[in-house]
Amino acid sequence: MLFPKNFTWGVATAAYQIEGAASVDGRGASIWDDFSHQPKKTFEGHTGDVACDHYHRYREDVALMRKLGVNGYRFSLSWSRLIPEGTGKPNPKGLAFYDRLINALLAAGITPWVTLYHWDLPSALQRRGGWLNRDIVEWFGEYAALAASRYGDRVKHWMTINEPPCIINTGYKDGTFAPGLKLPFAECLHAAHNLLLAHGRGVQALRAGCQGKIKVSIAQTGRERIPVTEGARDIEAARADYFACNERALWNLGWWADPVVLGKYPEDGLATFADALPRIKTGDMKLISQKIDFLAYNCYSGWPVRAGANGKAEKIPGEWGAGNPRGTISWLSVVPQAPYWAARFQTGRYKLPIAFTENGYCNTDFVHLDGGVRDPQRIDFMTRYLREIRRACEEGYPVNGYFYWSLLDNFEWAAGYRERFGLVHVDYNTQRRTPKDSFAWYRDAIRSNGANI
Ligand code: GBH
């Protein structure tokens, strides 16, 4: 069976990371403009002011995707390009940009998968508290309604929010990403609750405003657990730990995905966070758990665990640590089993199909004297991960798509332009795009529907 016949082969990007044109055509500022312009927040002070200049070069980028042969493209809308103040008056030129992009994609036979929010909150809304202000539920609903009414005739695949845990952990708890806050845990949980409510309101607005049937989700991420053996005890330990909320951190999937799909916060989290819980009003869980149609999941790395004497998962010291292949960014250890177990555990618990809406590798790829870009490590990475995804498909877990992160080298948040995840190399002085060796490899993989991986 290999990969299913209607499998989506895609690439992914996000608005702030590629568009540039930060103060062009009426775009309002976002928290990433503010953050990256503060001293010492990003690598060598890099900002997304220009990025890949995709705002002006989108035709070239769509042409690249057409050559690549993808049938799906995941990108995000810039909220402050569409509504410069976050709420209120829309910006016609911003709206027109995504019309052009969507039409170019459809003309190239590529299905748009749109994320409403990939981390670039309008600055005007941050000044009013951002995710800490419960009014954001209505602000987000208004934004989602605008996107639905404008693009919902052509866009049928939607994601509300990208990686809630990253937004709260890095933006509100550790302060390493915009808006750079370091808040007490209770406030993080409060912001997290508002974020989940906003997701629910967003789903309602999308369903009300789009034409015909749409597929909606929220792009989650977590810390993958790999059972070190495939014995039942190790598998159960890994599964429990994957969803568990047993530490005062918000990476574990249960806190984020259980409310959305199962309509309740997990019991263990309610106990672990008992002194810091947000106020949950009547009707909140119902709003959060609007029906979604698939699991969207960004999957990169992970670590192995085994069942300890008490059956609970324990990390294995040294295992897959030193000597394990890595990407150049700190957290990216090459753990190809991650998507296999993510698919198996999540489709089991949530009873929905899953699409891998991000997976990718960064390295210091350089342009060779012959003008090509050699990136054998990326090809190796994709081969290993896609074989594991194929295994999940063959065993009957419903995986329906894969989006490589990213089409282009781009603004890698706090790491600036230092980290290159693209299938296409970008020279930031000239904006010249050069497909890497992995581009041709992925094109061939897509052509064979994964049979030759
Ligand atoms: C994605 O997030 C983003 O969506 C995308 O914008 C970005 O460019 C891309 O990845 C590459 O960074 O605490 O060590 O367990 C990053 C995915 C998932 C990475 C959670 C860190 C937890 C690391 N993140 N993961 S750890």
Side-chain angles (χ1 to χ4, degrees):
M1 173 205 159
L2 302 171
F3 289 90
K5 263 215 298 297
N6 53 357
F7 196 73
T8 296
W9 295 97
V11 284
T13 64
Y16 189 73
Q17 295 180 270
I18 64 165
E19 284 181 4
S23 37
V24 167
D25 288 347
R27 175 183 177 278
S30 83
I31 56 173
W32 267 96
D33 296 292
D34 302 338
F35 187 76
S36 65
H37 279 270
Q38 284 171 41
K40 300 214 159 75
K41 298 296 186 190
T42 63
F43 176 72
E44 293 186 353
H46 293 172
T47 75
D49 288 2
V50 178
C52 308
D53 196 31
H54 172 78
Y55 186 76
H56 297 111
R57 295 167 196 266
Y58 71 93
R59 279 190 193 286
E60 183 181 353
D61 296 335
V62 172
L64 280 165
M65 284 188 264
R66 184 176 201 155
K67 270 198 195 137
L68 184 57
V70 291
N71 56 6
Y73 174 46
R74 174 175 181 246
F75 62 98
S76 76
L77 308 180
S78 160
W79 188 340
S80 64
R81 206 183 276 294
L82 293 186
I83 312 177
E85 295 296 311
T87 169
K89 205 166 165 295
N91 171 25
K93 289 189 171 163
L95 285 160
F97 167 66
Y98 295 109
D99 272 331
R100 293 196 295 277
L101 173 61
I102 291 163
N103 292 343
L105 288 166
L106 293 173
I110 300 167
T111 302
W113 291 52
V114 173
T115 309
L116 289 173
Y117 183 72
H118 199 124
W119 303 358
D120 43 358
L121 195 77
S123 304
L125 299 183
Q126 189 61 43
R127 288 194 290 274
R128 296 161 77 175
W131 297 104
L132 288 166
N133 185 340
R134 194 171 158 124
D135 290 347
I136 201 164
V137 179
E138 300 316 318
W139 302 333
F140 189 72
E142 178 193 333
Y143 167 48
L146 175 70
S149 71
R150 180 77 177 214
Y151 310 120
D153 56 337
R154 287 155 291 162
V155 175
K156 304 298 171 194
H157 296 78
W158 294 90
M159 284 146 281
T160 52
I161 297 175
N162 184 67
E163 297 187 358
C166 245
I167 293 169
I168 302 303
N169 281 307
T170 59
Y172 283 69
K173 186 166 158 289
D174 302 336
T176 50
F177 281 10
L181 304 173
K182 293 184 186 171
L183 299 177
F185 196 63
E187 293 187 45
C188 295
L189 285 182
H190 171 70
H193 187 63
N194 288 339
L195 188 152
L196 288 172
L197 289 166
H199 154 77
R201 180 69 82 233
V203 174
Q204 288 179 334
L206 288 169
R207 290 214 198 277
C210 290
Q211 288 168 30
K213 256 194 134 158
I214 57 167
K215 289 193 187 299
V216 188
S217 190
I218 173 172
Q220 303 275 15
T221 194
R223 286 176 161 171
E224 314 316 316
R225 268 40 165 200
I226 318 300
V228 71
T229 74
E230 295 195 12
R233 284 186 80 246
D234 286 337
I235 291 177
E236 285 322 307
R239 185 203 310 276
D241 200 45
Y242 188 34
F243 299 102
C245 302
N246 50 12
E247 52 176 16
R248 267 173 113 81
L250 282 170
W251 286 112
N252 296 46
L253 193 59
W255 192 258
W256 300 100
D258 278 20
V260 168
V261 188
L262 307 178
K264 50 184 199 291
Y265 283 113
E267 292 298 329
D268 63 343
L270 291 170
T272 310
F273 309 151
D275 61 325
L277 290 176
R279 211 174 128 225
I280 301 169
K281 294 193 190 168
T282 326
D284 279 5
M285 299 319 291
K286 194 158 172 237
L287 178 57
I288 291 171
S289 58
Q290 296 301 300
K291 176 182 167 294
I292 61 168
D293 304 290
F294 66 104
L295 304 167
Y297 197 71
N298 299 350
C299 189
Y300 287 85
S301 201
W303 58 75
V305 294
R306 67 179 165 221
N310 58 4
K312 289 231 166 78
E314 51 184 44
K315 264 185 155 176
I316 300 156
E319 185 88 3
W320 299 352
N324 196 60
R326 311 185 65 86
T328 38
I329 205 163
S330 63
W331 48 266
L332 187 50
S333 184
V334 177
V335 182
Q337 302 91 331
Y340 170 80
W341 290 102
R344 183 161 159 175
F345 291 157
Q346 288 191 54
T347 59
R349 186 177 180 95
Y350 299 125
K351 316 283 184 232
L352 285 169
I354 190 169
F356 289 105
T357 41
E358 285 183 29
N359 168 248
Y361 180 78
C362 61
N363 202 10
T364 48
D365 312 314
F366 62 96
V367 181
H368 192 267
L369 288 175
D370 66 11
V373 181
R374 307 283 96 87
D375 60 341
Q377 299 93 330
R378 180 168 292 100
I379 294 174
D380 180 70
F381 178 98
M382 296 178 81
T383 303
R384 289 171 190 262
Y385 277 69
L386 282 164
R387 281 183 187 165
E388 291 286 333
I389 293 175
R390 185 169 67 196
R391 177 184 170 201
C393 294
E394 284 168 350
E395 291 180 12
Y397 301 106
V399 184
N400 55 22
Y402 174 85
F403 294 78
Y404 178 78
W405 181 273
S406 180
L407 171 66
L408 302 167
D409 291 340
N410 60 46
F411 176 75
E412 181 44 42
W413 307 114
Y417 299 100
R418 188 187 67 212
E419 304 295 351
R420 295 179 175 273
F421 276 88
L423 296 172
V424 177
H425 180 276
V426 177
D427 177 330
Y428 295 109
N429 293 315
T430 61
Q431 289 296 343
R432 192 190 153 99
R433 277 95 161 115
T434 308
K436 303 176 189 179
D437 286 354
S438 56
F439 181 98
W441 179 88
Y442 192 38
R443 181 198 58 209
D444 293 344
I446 295 171
R447 269 190 201 150
S448 75
N449 197 37
N452 67 357
I453 292 171

